[in-house]
Amino acid sequence: MSARRVLERADELAAFTEEPGRITRPLASPALDGAMERVREWMEEAGLATRRDALGNLAGRTGEGPGTLLIGSHLDSVADAGRYDGVLGVLIALECVQELPLALELVAFADEEGMRFGSSYLGSRAYLGQLDEADLALRDASGITLREAIGEPSARLAPDDLRAYFEVHIEQGPVLEAAGEPLGVVTAIAGQSHATLVFEGEAGHAGTTPMALRRDAIAAAAEFVLATERIALDEPGLVATVGRVSVPGGAVNVIPGRAEATLDVRHAEDPARGRVIAGLRMIGEALRRRRGVRVRWSPVTEHGTTPLTLADGLAEVLPDAPRLPSGAGHDAVILSGVTDAAMLFVRCKGGISHNPAESVTEEDVAAAIDAAREFVRVAAEKACTT
Amino acid sequence: MSARRVLERADELAAFTEEPGRITRPLASPALDGAMERVREWMEEAGLATRRDALGNLAGRTGEGPGTLLIGSHLDSVADAGRYDGVLGVLIALECVQELPLALELVAFADEEGMRFGSSYLGSRAYLGQLDEADLALRDASGITLREAIGEPSARLAPDDLRAYFEVHIEQGPVLEAAGEPLGVVTAIAGQSHATLVFEGEAGHAGTTPMALRRDAIAAAAEFVLATERIALDEPGLVATVGRVSVPGGAVNVIPGRAEATLDVRHAEDPARGRVIAGLRMIGEALRRRRGVRVRWSPVTEHGTTPLTLADGLAEVLPDAPRLPSGAGHDAVILSGVTDAAMLFVRCKGGISHNPAESVTEEDVAAAIDAAREFVRVAAEKACTT
């Protein structure tokens, strides 16, 4: 019954979009504002007192407490998104409203995907009052700054007495489906390294330069791509991706003198990620010696692993559920900076996300609601006794 | 003395450009027209009767014949070109004007590089009256058609009694420099295959899709790049190049679902080129089976090898010079369709061409002028006795 309502509400929210025919709900758009206002109505029907901030975050509050238990997720989306990423966590939070020995706050963050400004976690950071001048100076693809889009940021929306954060989210990966399990306890948000690489060889005429005399930048980049794949396959739990490769100004009949690529490496244990990055840097050095192609490596972001401190508590409610790290980033990374946190993963079909094919079953959603309600009850009691 | 004049004239022609500070002389540009008119003055000083056609080709003629011996090259350039590619052959042709037992015609083609319309050999094809409606409908980057750029094409500029074509050109490769030889006899223009390849895998989340479950299009493309290089290294005389690689719509945190690449394969013997193409198609098939990444292969152009029928005659004048195929295309490909042809290569520094660093020595140019004059004399005599 609750699960059916969650799925129906997800269908309804899918209609809030900037692009007819597909779901695209960026920060500071009429579509996102419409979705937030609809959720606000549902919060108020559930008896919550609501408020919003300049960024567009929505919070709804009930009860009094010696502290606040926060539950929620985000309502913004990528372009051509599915209907459950973020939305499912907000809607399941609405099913968890109950009498508790402390205050309960529901939150719907306005920017987790970072689609519009290429940012990270603007929603949860604004909620905690952490936006700075650099954030406000970010520009979208049309050159509009965040400050121009939202005006001056509001003061911190979060209460000062946060005791715990809890988020339900689709897995966005195939592990639970492969294990035949509806739910999983997230142990940590994997650390990430992002880098850009430039391979500098020597351009030449494709018809007249013998193979042995070439310093081909794309051949060096290709070796790097395959070394990345092989090293990642050899390190359990590690994922590494070369998402972009290009030959600027390249032509069919010119040996590439320059190639560019991006690298994304993730692991739930920072030392494993560090080992792999160090190994890939050695591959880069070998390419310079062996091929005469210099590899310039520019780190873009470097985030350590975020352990979820309430994972054991969630596992008590779900003793048989698999425990797994999250390879994707979530707002729990930011909330973990100020309070204890837990995340529950729900199986999604084919592990697919960021795609209209995102799919969950009513049974799995029902199981997630049951587990979430129970965890919220237990966590609230523990938060009041410790 | 002649060599010095050739180098000084090359310097003077370098000033005709569409881009101040670098040499860029496309078809149907004021810069190319200026260069043509300056060469026309030099032709007339040398006693030649000149004429031009709508495309911009320039021909200069002397003597009477039982046939015509044609010498020349092209005056158009790539963007940011050197000063000798094409120009050297036209200027050395001017040094070959002499009394002959048949008519001598000098030619400066207006389009060999194909920079503006992405075409092949418009200059020599127009000279022979071979332009067709498809050529006239070609569009440049601004959408202007060739017909709009030049008006209606002229009738064939070439005389009907061509007996031979001879072209001097910088090598555009490092073979003569490595051999310590100033001049080389070109045996053939290597056959070329150009193709575009699309690798179709499955996009996915870089953080949540385990390595073993991926169908990564760029990893498949990387294997293809390295297989191309390895197979080319194993086939003597073959060159193969992947000049462009891209991941359309790619992002740092998305497993590439699609990658695109270009392929250029050249060899002076068609069966060797065919073997390598067949081998690479098998690699594509293996990638489908092993990685679940489909490789769609679209042939773009396919040119067989053009043997230069007068290579032995040129070798008689230069008995000790290396014989080598040309990996680059030249107007001799087109002229070979209607007459016998020979080409003489001049050593260029570092094998560099299509670059401001193109460089030749005065001594090498002097040797080229001597050999060219002698070959023109011998070839004219032979053409009149056979």
Side-chain angles (χ1 to χ4, degrees):
Chain A
M1 160 82 195
S2 275
R4 169 127 309 268
R5 177 163 64 183
V6 163
L7 294 178
E8 284 166 1
R9 285 176 165 182
D11 292 344
E12 186 177 341
L13 292 181
F16 292 97
T17 175
E18 294 290 295
E19 299 186 296
R22 50 189 224 164
I23 304 172
T24 301
R25 214 160 41 228
L27 175 64
S29 66
L32 180 61
D33 194 58
M36 287 283 179
E37 287 302 312
R38 189 74 184 102
V39 172
R40 183 179 207 153
E41 289 170 16
W42 295 330
M43 283 183 175
E44 293 181 350
E45 285 168 19
L48 304 180
T50 63
R51 61 200 195 283
R52 295 189 64 189
D53 65 12
L55 193 83
N57 289 320
L58 165 66
R61 191 170 176 81
T62 187
E64 299 285 326
T68 300
L69 174 59
L70 182 68
I71 336 174
S73 189
H74 62 94
L75 287 185
D76 66 311
S77 83
V78 297
D80 199 16
R83 55 187 62 192
Y84 302 109
D85 181 346
V87 167
L88 185 70
V90 172
L91 296 178
I92 288 183
L94 271 162
E95 304 299 327
C96 293
V97 177
Q98 56 188 291
E99 286 291 320
L100 293 176
L102 79 181
L104 179 69
E105 175 148 321
L106 268 54
V107 68
F109 294 120
D111 186 77
E112 190 263 2
E113 303 289 1
M115 176 176 67
R116 178 159 173 194
F117 290 95
S119 52
S120 291
Y121 311 124
L122 288 178
S124 45
R125 290 172 54 233
Y127 176 78
L128 293 176
Q130 293 176 357
L131 292 193
D132 56 26
E133 283 302 315
D135 296 316
L136 294 166
L138 287 171
R139 286 181 192 276
D140 70 6
S142 336
I144 297 170
T145 64
L146 178 60
R147 177 174 263 121
E148 287 161 0
I150 68 164
E152 284 306 306
S154 320
R156 169 187 170 109
L157 191 67
D160 290 326
D161 61 353
L162 287 179
R163 291 289 176 91
Y165 174 67
F166 175 53
E167 178 169 358
V168 180
H169 204 282
I170 58 169
E171 182 199 343
Q172 302 183 268
V175 174
L176 293 177
E177 186 173 77
E181 294 282 348
L183 304 177
V185 173
V186 183
T187 53
I189 314 286
Q192 297 185 17
S193 299
H194 282 181
T196 59
L197 293 99
V198 178
F199 300 81
E200 295 174 330
E202 187 173 50
H205 191 299
T208 58
T209 311
M211 299 305 295
L213 299 180
R214 298 180 173 204
R215 298 197 292 127
D216 184 333
I218 200 68
E223 264 202 59
F224 187 88
V225 168
L226 293 178
T228 300
E229 181 183 51
R230 193 183 61 240
I231 289 175
L233 280 164
D234 286 348
E235 181 75 46
L238 188 119
V239 286
T241 305
V242 175
R244 280 193 194 140
V245 174
S246 65
V247 180
V252 61
N253 59 352
V254 177
I255 301 161
R258 181 185 173 96
E260 299 177 358
T262 61
L263 176 68
D264 175 312
V265 179
R266 310 193 194 194
H267 197 283
E269 291 162 26
D270 292 338
R273 183 168 48 88
R275 262 196 315 276
V276 165
I277 296 285
L280 288 173
R281 281 183 172 271
M282 283 174 59
I283 299 283
E285 183 55 27
L287 290 170
R288 186 187 62 72
R289 285 196 313 270
R290 191 157 38 76
R291 288 187 172 270
V293 174
R294 187 176 164 213
V295 183
R296 289 199 292 126
W297 181 300
S298 306
V300 174
T301 57
E302 199 76 40
H303 292 299
T305 292
T306 304
L308 294 182
T309 46
L310 296 180
D312 287 344
L314 179 56
E316 282 172 28
V317 172
L318 288 164
D320 298 326
R323 299 167 64 105
L324 73 170
S326 171
H330 292 287
D331 290 306
V333 169
I334 301 303
L335 274 299
S336 283
V338 300
T339 189
D340 287 314
M343 280 193 77
L344 176 67
F345 269 172
V346 182
R347 169 167 60 185
C348 60
K349 191 174 172 186
I352 293 169
S353 71
H354 289 188
N355 189 297
E358 256 176 33
S359 178
V360 293
T361 67
E362 187 172 337
E363 294 68 30
D364 289 1
V365 171
I369 293 168
D370 287 347
R373 280 180 182 149
E374 177 67 5
F375 174 69
V376 165
R377 194 185 58 73
V378 171
E381 276 171 17
K382 279 202 184 156
C384 292
T385 56
T386 53
Chain B
M1 162 81 193
S2 276
R4 170 128 306 271
R5 179 163 64 183
V6 164
L7 295 179
E8 284 167 0
R9 285 176 166 180
D11 292 344
E12 187 178 341
L13 292 181
F16 291 97
T17 175
E18 295 289 295
E19 299 187 295
R22 50 188 223 162
I23 304 172
T24 302
R25 215 160 39 228
L27 175 64
S29 65
L32 180 60
D33 193 58
M36 288 284 181
E37 286 302 312
R38 189 73 185 103
V39 171
R40 184 178 206 154
E41 289 170 16
W42 295 331
M43 283 183 174
E44 293 182 348
E45 285 168 18
L48 303 181
T50 62
R51 61 200 195 283
R52 297 189 62 188
D53 65 11
L55 193 83
N57 288 321
L58 166 66
R61 191 170 175 80
T62 187
E64 300 285 326
T68 299
L69 174 59
L70 182 68
I71 336 174
S73 188
H74 61 95
L75 288 186
D76 67 308
S77 83
V78 297
D80 199 16
R83 56 187 62 191
Y84 302 110
D85 181 345
V87 167
L88 186 70
V90 172
L91 296 178
I92 287 182
L94 271 162
E95 303 299 327
C96 293
V97 177
Q98 57 188 288
E99 286 293 320
L100 292 177
L102 79 181
L104 179 69
E105 176 148 322
L106 268 56
V107 68
F109 294 120
D111 187 76
E112 191 262 2
E113 304 289 0
M115 175 175 68
R116 179 159 172 193
F117 290 95
S119 52
S120 290
Y121 311 124
L122 287 179
S124 45
R125 289 172 55 232
Y127 176 77
L128 294 175
Q130 294 176 356
L131 292 193
D132 56 25
E133 283 302 315
D135 295 317
L136 294 166
L138 288 170
R139 287 182 191 275
D140 70 6
S142 337
I144 297 170
T145 64
L146 177 58
R147 177 174 263 123
E148 286 161 359
I150 68 162
E152 283 307 304
S154 320
R156 167 186 171 109
L157 190 67
D160 290 326
D161 62 352
L162 287 178
R163 291 290 175 89
Y165 174 67
F166 176 52
E167 179 170 358
V168 181
H169 204 283
I170 57 168
E171 181 200 342
Q172 301 183 266
V175 174
L176 294 176
E177 186 173 75
E181 294 282 348
L183 304 177
V185 173
V186 183
T187 53
I189 313 286
Q192 297 185 17
S193 300
H194 281 183
T196 59
L197 293 99
V198 178
F199 300 82
E200 295 173 331
E202 187 172 50
H205 192 299
T208 58
T209 311
M211 298 307 294
L213 298 180
R214 299 180 173 204
R215 298 197 293 126
D216 183 335
I218 200 67
E223 263 201 60
F224 187 88
V225 168
L226 293 178
T228 300
E229 180 183 52
R230 193 182 61 239
I231 288 175
L233 280 164
D234 287 347
E235 181 75 46
L238 188 121
V239 286
T241 305
V242 176
R244 281 193 194 138
V245 174
S246 64
V247 180
V252 60
N253 58 351
V254 178
I255 301 161
R258 181 185 172 95
E260 299 177 357
T262 62
L263 177 68
D264 175 312
V265 179
R266 311 193 193 193
H267 197 283
E269 291 162 27
D270 291 337
R273 183 169 48 89
R275 264 197 313 277
V276 165
I277 296 286
L280 288 173
R281 280 182 172 274
M282 284 174 60
I283 300 283
E285 184 52 28
L287 290 171
R288 188 188 61 73
R289 286 197 311 273
R290 191 157 38 76
R291 288 187 172 269
V293 175
R294 186 175 165 217
V295 183
R296 289 199 292 126
W297 181 300
S298 306
V300 175
T301 58
E302 199 73 42
H303 291 300
T305 291
T306 304
L308 294 182
T309 46
L310 296 181
D312 287 345
L314 180 56
E316 283 172 27
V317 172
L318 288 165
D320 298 327
R323 299 167 65 102
L324 73 170
S326 172
H330 292 288
D331 290 306
V333 169
I334 301 304
L335 273 300
S336 283
V338 299
T339 189
D340 289 314
M343 280 193 77
L344 176 66
F345 269 172
V346 182
R347 169 168 59 186
C348 60
K349 190 173 171 186
I352 294 169
S353 71
H354 289 188
N355 189 297
E358 257 177 31
S359 178
V360 293
T361 67
E362 187 173 337
E363 294 68 31
D364 289 0
V365 171
I369 293 169
D370 287 346
R373 280 181 181 149
E374 177 67 4
F375 175 68
V376 165
R377 194 184 57 72
V378 170
E381 275 170 20
K382 280 201 186 158
C384 291
T385 55
T386 54

